[in-house]
Amino acid sequence: MPGGRTSSKHPGKPSRQLLFSEALCHQRVPPTEEQSLAPSSRMAQSTQGATMDRILQEISAVAHKLEGIDSAMASLTAEMKSMHLYIADFQTQVMGLQQQVATVEIRIGSWVERDHELLYLHSKLIDLEDRSRRDNIHFLGFPENVEGADIHSYLWETLTKLTGIIFDHPLEFQRVHRLGPKRQNNANRTRPIIACLLCHIQTRQLLQVARTHGPFRLDDLEVRLAADFSKETSERRRAFLDLRPDSVSWT
């Protein structure tokens, strides 16, 4: 007899109730979703949830920072606009200054030209003054009042004795006088005598003899002859002689 139970009505076949109960016993109940998850999967889910929360928090913080950056950018844009206006105003001022500088440069150029012209005219004036004085001779060393009442006659007689020159024509003076006002308190400082000769050749002869044989002795007097130059030429001569003490003096 087989191992299965049979009913009395149908021998050799299992009954329906028995088969149903066996089927219920052998049927596997499906586990729930939580039961079907392994422990490692549940841990991964919890970790993933915590990570998502942290990411959301970081995104919120980044959004807050972006809002601050937006406000800073807005203030920076406003500052840039004000800076642009300031630069535009500064450029306008610089352009005005450039125009003023150009005007000043033009004026300075005209002043430089005028300075050059004045220097040229000044040199021409000095040259004309020296030319007008080329017939003048300074006589140094004659005491005050030695000439008496007639200085022309005294100087005409004295020059022949001093220089020993025999002129082809008698000396002729255009004018003869002492330089400066008469001194009363200091008689030792004598005023020089200046004479303007009418003949330039005689002037050159006297100055040439003074360069080669001067100074001259007249009794106890020491007399010197010198050419008459303008103030500027005299200063240049003096500076030249200071630099070249061994050079020949310009008489």
Side-chain angles (χ1 to χ4, degrees):
M1 181 176 182
R5 292 181 182 180
T6 59
S7 62
S8 56
K9 294 181 179 182
H10 300 281
K13 292 183 180 179
S15 61
R16 290 181 179 177
Q17 185 174 5
L18 181 59
L19 292 173
F20 182 74
S21 61
E22 288 178 357
L24 289 176
C25 291
H26 292 286
Q27 186 181 8
R28 293 181 179 179
V29 179
T32 61
E33 185 177 358
E34 294 181 357
Q35 292 176 353
S36 63
L37 293 175
S40 59
S41 299
R42 290 197 298 271
M43 185 179 298
Q45 271 189 347
S46 62
T47 305
Q48 185 177 5
T51 304
M52 291 298 295
D53 293 339
R54 187 166 58 254
I55 291 173
L56 290 175
Q57 292 177 359
E58 292 178 356
I59 290 174
S60 177
V62 169
H64 182 69
K65 291 180 179 180
L66 289 176
E67 291 178 358
I69 292 174
D70 289 338
S71 62
M73 288 295 294
S75 62
L76 182 61
T77 303
E79 291 180 0
M80 290 293 292
K81 289 181 179 179
S82 63
M83 185 65 69
H84 179 72
L85 295 175
Y86 175 78
I87 291 174
D89 184 37
F90 183 74
Q91 288 177 347
T92 304
Q93 295 179 4
V94 169
M95 291 178 62
L97 290 175
Q98 288 177 348
Q99 294 178 355
Q100 294 180 4
V101 168
T103 304
V104 171
E105 287 178 349
I106 294 173
R107 292 181 179 177
I108 290 175
S110 63
W111 292 342
V112 170
E113 292 179 358
R114 291 179 184 177
D115 289 342
H116 291 166
E117 184 178 359
L118 288 175
L119 289 174
Y120 174 74
L121 294 176
H122 184 66
S123 63
K124 294 291 290 183
L125 181 61
I126 293 173
D127 181 66
L128 290 174
E129 186 177 357
D130 289 333
R131 288 178 181 273
S132 66
R133 296 185 177 191
R134 62 182 180 176
D135 291 328
N136 295 347
I137 298 178
H138 287 263
F139 298 93
L140 310 174
F142 288 107
E144 291 283 342
N145 302 321
V146 71
E147 67 276 10
D150 190 0
I151 190 172
H152 291 80
S153 301
Y154 175 78
L155 194 60
W156 183 80
E157 295 174 358
T158 306
L159 283 178
T160 305
K161 298 178 183 179
L162 283 175
T163 60
I165 300 175
I166 300 175
F167 297 100
D168 296 335
H169 301 282
L171 289 175
E172 293 182 345
F173 300 101
Q174 182 179 0
R175 61 183 180 274
V176 181
H177 60 87
R178 284 190 181 268
L179 292 175
K182 187 175 181 180
R183 295 185 178 94
Q184 301 292 338
N185 298 329
N186 192 354
N188 294 327
R189 295 184 60 186
T190 59
R191 293 174 297 162
I193 297 174
I194 182 170
C196 178
L197 281 73
L198 291 176
C199 182
H200 182 65
I201 296 177
Q202 293 176 345
T203 305
R204 290 196 305 175
Q205 287 178 344
L206 288 172
L207 293 176
Q208 182 64 35
V209 171
R211 291 189 187 98
T212 56
H213 299 90
F216 302 103
R217 301 293 304 183
L218 181 62
D219 298 333
D220 295 335
L221 302 178
E222 182 179 289
V223 180
R224 296 174 181 270
L225 278 68
D228 184 26
F229 296 103
S230 62
K231 178 181 178 182
E232 291 79 6
T233 305
S234 300
E235 290 177 352
R236 287 199 298 266
R237 288 177 59 227
R238 192 177 299 111
F240 177 79
L241 293 175
D242 291 340
L243 293 175
R244 299 284 302 276
D246 55 341
S247 61
V248 178
S249 176
W250 296 354
T251 304

